[in-house]
Amino acid sequence: IGEDEPFAVAKRAATVELRSPHGEAIHPATRSRVRVGEDVHSVGALSFWQAHRDAPALLVREVLDAAALQPGDQVVALYSGVGLFSVPMARRVGAPGVRA
């Protein structure tokens, strides 16, 4: 899913198997770096992430457009996951420590 070795998560009944696209077992700590716009996310094999490669950028664009955030607005990330929405939203409102 990203710039590093891709991986897939297969769920079979009550078990989860972590595999490379070639079928080899991978370690649960395996991570992949995924660029969405100017942000790079570290996505683990057990992280939630969009399956379609274009979905993250489209979702961020749509959420930011719908939120119509302005500098100085306040936002709360109740579930920030890997930061797909929270980092761009923080940048948009001018949160301290987040580069513009």
Side-chain angles (χ1 to χ4, degrees):
I1 61 174
E3 299 168 356
D4 298 323
E5 182 65 28
F7 54 81
V9 177
K11 182 168 171 101
R12 291 194 174 104
T15 63
V16 174
E17 296 180 9
L18 305 176
R19 303 270 177 193
S20 76
H22 306 291
E24 298 94 9
I26 60 171
H27 192 275
T30 299
R31 303 196 71 73
S32 186
R33 294 170 44 84
V34 182
R35 178 173 294 282
V36 178
E38 62 185 275
D39 300 314
V40 177
H41 302 277
S42 178
V43 179
L46 300 177
S47 299
F48 173 79
W49 194 253
Q50 299 296 325
H52 191 284
R53 70 178 342 125
D54 296 329
L58 173 70
L59 289 169
V60 167
R61 201 169 41 250
E62 292 297 319
V63 166
L64 290 177
D65 287 350
L69 298 169
Q70 300 297 317
D73 284 351
Q74 295 182 358
V75 293
V76 176
L78 299 176
Y79 179 77
S80 59
V82 298
L84 181 63
F85 300 117
S86 58
V87 171
M89 291 174 94
R91 187 179 306 108
R92 179 80 50 104
V93 300
V98 179
R99 58 182 162 62

